Amino acid sequence: YFVHYNTNNTCGTAMNCGTSYITCLSCVAPAPPPNDLVCNSTPITCGQIISGTTVNATNSGTGEGGFCSVGQTQPGVWYVVPGNGQIMTANLCATAWDSKISVFSGPNCSTLSCVGGNDDFGPACSSSSASFSWTSTVGTNYYILVHGYSSNSSFNIGLSCMSPPPPNPTSISATQNTICNGVSTTLTANGAVGV
């Protein structure tokens, strides 16, 4: 809204300074996003992309305003995913916004522990759009806080999941431990099926 004052109907110039006051008679703050608080986190699943916003978010509640690998400098919104034993990656790559992601774990939304976070150039994004990867544990909930570096914005959050690589073999045995040129041996990996 722009307020324009004239000294008369011919747009005359005032010779003295004045003070104006604006009084709100019925001002109501805009409602925050529904997932503004961690206990109202929006569920997200592997392979899903969800549109969201931090506009009108508040900086209150459990997990807000602290430090989890990155400092929280703007209000954020929350998403939750149950651990499934896979490597999970939350990303905001589809959004051209200088964003941050912090990931917490906990048995419920009132008891959170920092897993980690990212500000820029995470494992999935090659820009100031944040992304963060972690190995999840079955039975643990993961709470993803999306927040900005210096501003609020709408965004798209994606969650990808992949199975972790198998563990390395515990030992390797050979049919012959000493071989000469032109002779072969067979190597056998024992224990696990990794590389």
Side-chain angles (χ1 to χ4, degrees):
Y1 294 95
F2 298 93
V3 180
H4 184 133
Y5 296 98
N6 292 322
T7 57
N8 56 41
N9 62 0
T10 61
C11 295
T13 302
M15 296 300 176
N16 298 317
C17 294
T19 303
S20 298
Y21 298 93
I22 298 175
T23 303
C24 239
L25 301 177
S26 61
C27 294
V28 178
N35 57 342
D36 182 48
L37 299 175
V38 66
C39 288
N40 294 334
S41 295
T42 299
I44 189 169
T45 59
C46 295
Q48 190 174 21
I49 298 174
I50 299 176
S51 296
T53 184
T54 60
V55 176
N56 299 324
T58 64
N59 211 8
S60 60
T62 302
E64 292 271 354
F67 185 89
C68 181
S69 296
V70 293
Q72 185 181 358
T73 53
Q74 293 292 317
V77 292
W78 294 90
Y79 296 84
V80 62
V81 59
N84 59 10
Q86 293 185 308
I87 298 171
M88 297 182 164
T89 302
N91 77 80
L92 302 168
C93 300
T95 307
W97 171 50
D98 194 355
S99 53
K100 298 180 183 183
I101 288 179
S102 298
V103 177
F104 299 82
S105 65
N108 58 57
C109 62
S110 300
T111 308
L112 301 178
S113 298
C114 174
V115 174
N118 176 259
D119 181 3
D120 296 326
F121 302 98
C125 306
S126 60
S127 66
S128 60
S129 298
S131 63
F132 181 72
S133 294
W134 70 99
T135 301
S136 68
T137 301
V138 175
T140 300
N141 285 329
Y142 294 90
Y143 298 91
I144 304 164
L145 175 63
V146 174
H147 47 115
Y149 172 72
S150 61
S151 63
N152 294 312
S153 179
S154 57
F155 59 85
N156 291 316
I157 181 171
L159 183 70
S160 60
C161 302
M162 61 182 267
S163 296
N168 292 330
T170 55
S171 67
I172 298 175
S173 59
T175 55
Q176 293 184 52
N177 288 332
T178 304
I179 61 171
C180 295
N181 189 16
V183 179
S184 65
T185 187
T186 300
L187 300 176
T188 304
N190 303 302
V193 294
V195 176

